[in-house]
Amino acid sequence: MQPPSRRTFLALGLLLTAGGALTACTGSHDGDGGGPGDRRRPDPDEPVRLRAVTDTDTLLAGYDALLAGPGAGQAAQLQPLRAEVVQHRAALAAGLPTASVSPGTAASSASASLSLSPSTAPTSAVGTEAALASLERQTAQARLADLGAASPQLARLLASVSAAGVLHAVALGDDAPPTTPAPPPPVPSAAPTTAPSSPSGPASPPAAASGAGLSPEAVTALQRALSSEHAAVYGYGVVGARLPDDQQRADARTALAAHQARRDAWQRVLGGVGVTPSAAAAGYQLPFAVTDAAGAGRLAAHIETRLAAVYADLVAATTGPQRATAAGSLRDSALRARRWGAAATPFPGLPDPAVPTPGTTGTPGTTGPGTTPTPTA
């Protein structure tokens, strides 16, 4: 693996922008809060949210059963994980007409309340951390099963919460490898694109919109994912060059191969609909100097954290196999980021809804055209 050239420029900056808005956590409905005679507009996401909240109640009951059992020493590990599950519940319940989360529950390990049927969780079956880890993984899989029925923003939230559930399972001792979706197939195209891409470079956004079978938003998000994977491949070359020949370097090689495979998959998807895939830049400017193994690990965590945000946006912009693959990629990047030492977050790939993103104005926790990414010093 080659060290970075002093002439490198551009695009690990693509990995500096942390995803889009956590709008699914702040939903509202016409008629909510009105008088008794107001009629609420039906929310197509309501069945998905209700299922997700019910599953979360079952999971919380599992935590409570284990915390109430013998072995109080495990509370120090369980309480932070349970607190994140409470935050998941509050986000998933947002906008439901019967939702009622007590003040402060999202920031603590206190129980959340919701006017739904009482949980029928088999609490007696959750007597060990291994059993709770299995329940976390099952719940994470249930989130993914509802991706196709969810709106774009709710799908992004479900994918993030699912990734968090897998991280919880790993923290509880479940080291089973996650089920990774197969690379997405090219989108079927009924006819070739009518506007060929310019031979002088990647397709511009208007030309990209002509990709048959993909929306303009999906093409834009796929191009961004591809560009980010190009940058990740370069970045892992730097990471590997700064690590000793040990397990960490082996992990870096494994991650590099995974990003190369994902890059190739997105190139096939875009090429299959007649869109010119974004090419790798001649070089990339690192977000900070990497001079030793500690810096290499920090760079790897940075790459994976930013890729999780890119894939959260891709979940919202795509449908079908592409959405499922994007959710799997979000999860994989979240797992690798944690392995490289990234800080824990209850919503991998999404900004903290309570913390404004630097350089933005307006709603806290959102990013957009006004964002000014700040390189890490």
Side-chain angles (χ1 to χ4, degrees), residues 226-333:
L226 174 57
S227 295
S228 297
E229 290 292 4
H230 283 313
V233 168
Y234 176 89
Y236 267 101
V238 177
V239 169
R242 295 292 185 269
L243 292 174
D245 192 8
D246 59 8
Q247 183 58 48
Q248 277 195 320
R249 181 176 286 187
D251 290 343
R253 290 195 189 100
T254 300
L256 174 61
H259 289 299
Q260 288 170 328
R262 193 62 69 203
R263 172 202 63 191
D264 296 345
W266 297 135
Q267 286 175 328
R268 288 193 298 271
V269 169
L270 289 164
V273 295
V275 175
T276 301
S278 299
Y284 296 84
Q285 181 178 340
L286 301 178
F288 46 80
V290 179
T291 59
D292 54 18
R298 193 157 62 100
L299 177 60
H302 172 88
I303 290 170
E304 299 295 353
T305 298
R306 301 317 183 192
L307 271 172
V310 169
Y311 281 119
D313 286 345
L314 188 59
V315 168
T318 54
T319 59
Q322 281 73 34
R323 176 175 283 184
T325 302
S329 298
L330 189 166
R331 177 206 61 214
D332 292 346
S333 282

Side-chain angles (χ1 to χ4, degrees), residues 54-83:
T54 300
D55 288 343
T56 308
D57 283 341
T58 299
L59 187 55
L60 284 170
Y63 273 93
D64 291 340
L66 192 54
L67 285 166
Q74 62 194 349
Q77 177 182 4
L78 295 180
Q79 289 288 10
L81 300 181
R82 186 188 183 281

Side-chain angles (χ1 to χ4, degrees), residues 100-131:
S100 176
V101 180
S102 301
T105 56
S108 70
S109 60
S111 296
S113 61
L114 185 70
S115 302
L116 295 172
S117 300
S119 172
T120 57
T123 55
S124 60
V126 183
T128 65
E129 289 191 8

Side-chain angles (χ1 to χ4, degrees), residues 28-201:
S28 60
H29 302 273
D30 291 349
D32 285 357
D38 289 346
R39 299 184 62 182
R40 190 176 66 89
R41 180 178 299 172
D43 179 6
D45 275 337
E46 191 167 301
V48 177
R49 287 187 180 275
L50 287 169
R51 284 195 295 272
V53 169
T54 300
D55 288 343
T56 308
D57 283 341
T58 299
L59 187 55
L60 284 170
Y63 273 93
D64 291 340
L66 192 54
L67 285 166
Q74 62 194 349
Q77 177 182 4
L78 295 180
Q79 289 288 10
L81 300 181
R82 186 188 183 281
E84 290 192 358
V85 177
V86 170
Q87 289 182 275
H88 299 161
R89 188 184 188 282
L92 292 164
L96 288 175
T98 53
S100 176
V101 180
S102 301
T105 56
S108 70
S109 60
S111 296
S113 61
L114 185 70
S115 302
L116 295 172
S117 300
S119 172
T120 57
T123 55
S124 60
V126 183
T128 65
E129 289 191 8
L132 184 58
S134 178
L135 183 58
E136 277 278 18
R137 192 174 285 274
Q138 292 170 16
T139 306
Q141 193 61 37
R143 316 288 194 204
L144 299 183
D146 263 334
L147 284 180
S151 68
Q153 296 304 327
L154 179 56
R156 179 166 61 176
L157 176 62
L158 289 171
S160 174
V161 172
S162 176
V166 174
L167 287 169
H168 290 180
V170 171
L172 291 166
D174 183 355
D175 57 359
T179 303
T180 302
V187 177
S189 176
T193 53
T194 56
S197 303
S198 169
S200 61

